[in-house]
Amino acid sequence: SAVISQKPSRDICQRGTSLTIQCQVDSQVTMMFWYRQQPGQSLTLIATANQGSEATYESGFVIDKFPISRPNLTFSTLTVSNMSPEDSSIYLCSFSGTGSYEQYFGPGTRLTVT
Amino acid sequence: EDQVTQSPEALRLQEGESSSLNCSYTVSGLRGLFWYRQDPGKGPEFLFTLYSAGEEKEKERLKATLTKKESFLHITAPKPEDSATYLCAVQEYSGYALNFGKGTSLLVTP
């Protein structure tokens, strides 16, 4: 199966700054997703990113706060903008293969905002 | 209201002591139910997909089953390396989002 990676694996950022997280898959995939995993909480979908179209955001998440790019079929980025301590979380990207519904996850990016 | 509820939150087993994890769900149109394993500091690792009531899937010491309201992950004769958090997620026909439960943290001691 395809291999998925994320950069950075972790970061500590100052309040008010932005961080861009990169997600790379080693083969072409149609659908990529971005999730957030807060301590003690369930994984929550932020948005779905399809190549060639605008990302689709879930309720409670907005493009100005979490802009997403999907320039090709193997790569996506998520930016966490104007960060506050409440944005401290693990951010995960995933993809689903052609003709299947299960999603395969990257290793995650652990973000701490001070 | 949570769509997916997992129980227990934490489970401690002796090596070889079989048990089951529960995932109950409330969705209007279930496309699939998914089980994942997550080790500390890593992303979730896909285990099984179940699509219809009565379906069963097996992998090594794990067996997943599905009814119209819940799924069970049975662990037979667990080993310490089975220690992890097990996550359950549902996907509705209306979209591609996976709605996750909070997970069951399993510890298997020698």
Side-chain angles (χ1 to χ4, degrees):
Chain A
S1 61
V3 175
I4 180 170
S5 60
Q6 286 183 235
K7 289 195 295 188
S9 59
R10 59 177 61 229
D11 208 340
I12 300 173
C13 300
Q14 298 271 7
R15 178 197 297 261
T17 63
S18 299
L19 176 72
T20 296
I21 302 168
Q22 299 179 8
C23 181
Q24 178 79 53
V25 186
D26 69 353
S27 62
Q28 294 184 341
V29 296
T30 303
M31 303 188 75
M32 295 182 74
F33 308 87
W34 287 97
Y35 287 81
R36 182 172 72 180
Q37 187 173 31
Q38 294 181 305
Q41 302 299 315
S42 314
L43 272 85
T44 302
L45 180 66
I46 297 171
T48 300
N50 291 332
Q51 195 266 338
S53 62
E54 294 290 324
T56 303
Y57 289 82
E58 297 298 303
S59 176
F61 298 97
V62 295
I63 187 171
D64 290 346
K65 176 67 175 177
F66 298 101
I68 287 171
S69 76
R70 181 79 199 274
N72 57 51
L73 291 174
T74 64
F75 188 78
S76 179
T77 67
L78 170 76
T79 298
V80 186
S81 302
N82 188 24
M83 289 184 285
S84 67
E86 292 70 38
D87 295 319
S88 297
S89 184
I90 299 172
Y91 293 85
L92 296 137
C93 66
S94 69
F95 70 92
S96 60
T98 303
S100 66
Y101 296 108
E102 63 265 17
Q103 294 177 21
Y104 298 89
F105 285 82
T109 295
R110 182 179 294 273
L111 171 62
T112 302
V113 183
T114 61
Chain B
E1 180 182 342
D2 289 346
Q3 285 188 317
V4 182
T5 303
Q6 293 189 245
S7 62
E9 290 185 10
L11 181 62
R12 183 182 181 121
L13 299 173
Q14 292 270 18
E15 184 172 3
E17 179 186 2
S18 300
S19 187
S20 296
L21 313 183
N22 177 264
C23 172
S24 61
Y25 63 92
T26 54
V27 295
S28 55
L30 180 73
R31 173 187 281 141
L33 185 142
F34 305 82
W35 282 99
Y36 287 84
R37 167 189 172 131
Q38 187 172 27
D39 293 296
K42 296 188 176 181
E45 174 190 349
F46 171 72
L47 294 174
F48 304 110
T49 308
L50 301 166
Y51 290 108
S52 57
E55 189 175 0
E56 299 182 352
K57 294 276 181 72
E58 286 189 66
K59 180 180 180 180
E60 295 181 356
R61 296 176 291 282
L62 300 177
K63 178 180 174 181
T65 63
L66 181 64
T67 72
K68 290 186 177 180
K69 293 184 178 181
E70 58 191 349
S71 177
F72 292 93
L73 185 66
H74 307 278
I75 303 176
T76 303
K79 298 182 178 182
E81 53 262 41
D82 294 322
S83 298
T85 296
Y86 291 85
L87 302 172
C88 168
V90 298
Q91 187 181 67
E92 297 182 79
Y93 281 112
S94 58
Y96 294 95
L98 293 182
N99 297 307
F100 281 87
K102 293 183 179 180
T104 294
S105 177
L106 173 66
L107 176 64
V108 182
T109 58

